[in-house]
Amino acid sequence: MRAVIQRVSEASVTIEGEKVATIQKGLLVLVGIEDASNQEDINWLTSKIANLRIFGDENGVMNLSIKDIDGDMIVVSQFTLHAATKKGNRPSYIKASKPDVAIPLYESFVQQMEIELGKKVQTGQFGADMKVALVNDGPVTIIIDTKNKD
């Protein structure tokens, strides 16, 4: 699994002209699932994201997590995070899981994230053409791949 975590002052997801998710201060998390992804990856990644100290404390030092600030979160599935670009100019998505594998893992990721945060997590819609808007605060963008967890 890969995740792109963006600290935001606001973010939203719109599908077919309808805003389906909107937050203020918190995180926008783009998640890419591959066939090798499993529940162990989900547990590790959700804990890592929930505890990342990337929000400023009273001294402006990045020392607080999303849990510490009671921030909100939007999670969006994004298969293009597993694009292979080594050969040619057209990305290959061969490593990205097909929906029958990816959807249950994505849903499990969202559920585990809610457990970690102790609150509802907003989402996009798997497979939909989404318009994602955000104001990256900092900017702060972190990329995590579960293959690098050891």
Side-chain angles (χ1 to χ4, degrees), residues 27-138:
L27 297 175
L28 173 66
V29 179
L30 307 173
V31 178
I33 298 168
E34 62 183 329
D35 288 339
S37 302
N38 58 41
Q39 190 63 45
E40 180 183 326
D41 293 327
I42 291 168
N43 295 342
W44 180 84
L45 187 55
T46 56
S47 176
K48 180 64 82 173
I49 293 169
N51 293 292
L52 271 179
R53 297 182 338 181
I54 59 174
F55 291 91
D57 63 15
E58 64 278 358
N59 298 314
V61 177
M62 286 198 287
N63 207 26
L64 301 175
S65 71
I66 188 170
K67 294 192 309 188
D68 295 328
I69 66 155
D70 194 30
D72 293 317
M73 182 181 291
I74 298 176
V75 174
V76 175
S77 176
Q78 188 170 356
F79 75 93
T80 60
L81 293 180
H82 287 288
T85 58
K86 188 174 182 178
K87 292 171 54 179
N89 293 317
R90 185 176 189 181
S92 168
Y93 303 106
I94 194 96
K95 290 186 179 180
S97 290
K98 302 288 185 260
D100 61 320
V101 172
I103 291 172
L105 289 170
Y106 171 72
E107 291 172 349
S108 180
F109 178 89
V110 171
Q111 290 170 353
Q112 187 63 35
M113 199 77 252
E114 290 177 339
I115 291 168
E116 288 285 341
L117 296 179
K119 66 190 310 185
K120 181 82 174 136
V121 169
Q122 296 188 52
T123 65
Q125 180 182 333
F126 191 95
D129 180 17
M130 296 175 271
K131 307 302 179 212
V132 180
L134 68 135
V135 176
N136 190 318
D137 182 21

